[in-house]
Amino acid sequence: MHRVSDPFGAIIAEFNYFVAERVLYVCWHGHLTGELVIRVAEASLPWIEQLHPLGLVNDKRGTTGDWGDSIDWIQFEWLPRAKQNGLFAFAYVMDPDTPMSLENTSVADAIGEELDLRLFYSLPVAWKWLRQRVQKTSNTSAA
């Protein structure tokens, strides 16, 4: 659907949207910084505003880096706009062999204060949880 590159042209994130589930899937690549995380988050907003996903899979398996310095932008710019456009569930998929730094944990915690966020080490398990959350919400709003 869409790719985001770093200043040198390397792909740092790929977006896919799953219509039936109303889920935006973001697959990250490489060594990430706060600046790159903000670049991808900014690029996601037009898609979120157009598609109104209920859930987001944030697949950061295989990535490295600290992006804690993106917390203010994520918390005060991205989160309000994402929530305003229907996003309520966030599946954060990470590599079990790469522990999350304190700085990166603070970003996840900030998102978790606003959205239903769960951390996963398995993409299929994350998808299952997110589908259940989205389906439950879709069924509740249809009633």
Side-chain angles (χ1 to χ4, degrees):
M1 182 171 97
H2 183 70
R3 291 183 174 144
V4 180
S5 299
D6 69 12
F8 305 103
I11 295 171
I12 52 172
E14 297 172 284
F15 300 167
N16 287 294
Y17 184 66
F18 294 84
V19 176
E21 291 93 348
R22 293 188 62 192
V23 169
L24 182 64
Y25 173 76
V26 182
C27 183
W28 297 77
H29 306 282
H31 184 77
L32 304 175
T33 64
E35 180 182 324
L36 294 176
V37 167
I38 290 170
R39 179 186 288 239
V40 172
E42 283 178 323
S44 76
L45 285 171
W47 295 103
I48 290 170
E49 290 167 349
Q50 177 186 350
L51 300 169
H52 303 281
L54 299 175
L56 188 143
V57 175
N58 194 50
D59 187 351
K60 286 194 174 165
R61 293 174 299 159
T63 63
T64 59
D66 285 322
W67 49 88
D69 55 344
S70 67
I71 188 169
D72 287 340
W73 195 89
I74 297 293
Q75 190 170 19
F76 300 112
E77 299 292 331
W78 185 83
L79 272 168
R81 289 174 65 185
K83 282 178 55 180
Q84 179 182 352
N85 285 281
L87 189 66
F88 77 91
F90 194 103
Y92 195 118
V93 185
M94 47 195 276
D95 191 332
D97 297 325
T98 307
M100 192 180 243
S101 72
L102 183 58
E103 293 83 12
N104 297 350
T105 301
S106 67
V107 176
D109 289 345
I111 294 169
E113 289 177 14
E114 298 292 327
L115 303 174
D116 188 359
L117 179 135
R118 296 287 188 283
L119 299 175
F120 297 94
Y121 297 112
S122 163
L123 185 59
V125 174
W127 268 107
K128 181 179 179 184
W129 173 81
L130 197 54
R131 282 186 183 114
Q132 289 171 342
R133 295 290 299 130
V134 168
Q135 183 178 27
K136 184 178 179 181
T137 298
S138 295
N139 291 342
T140 303
S141 62

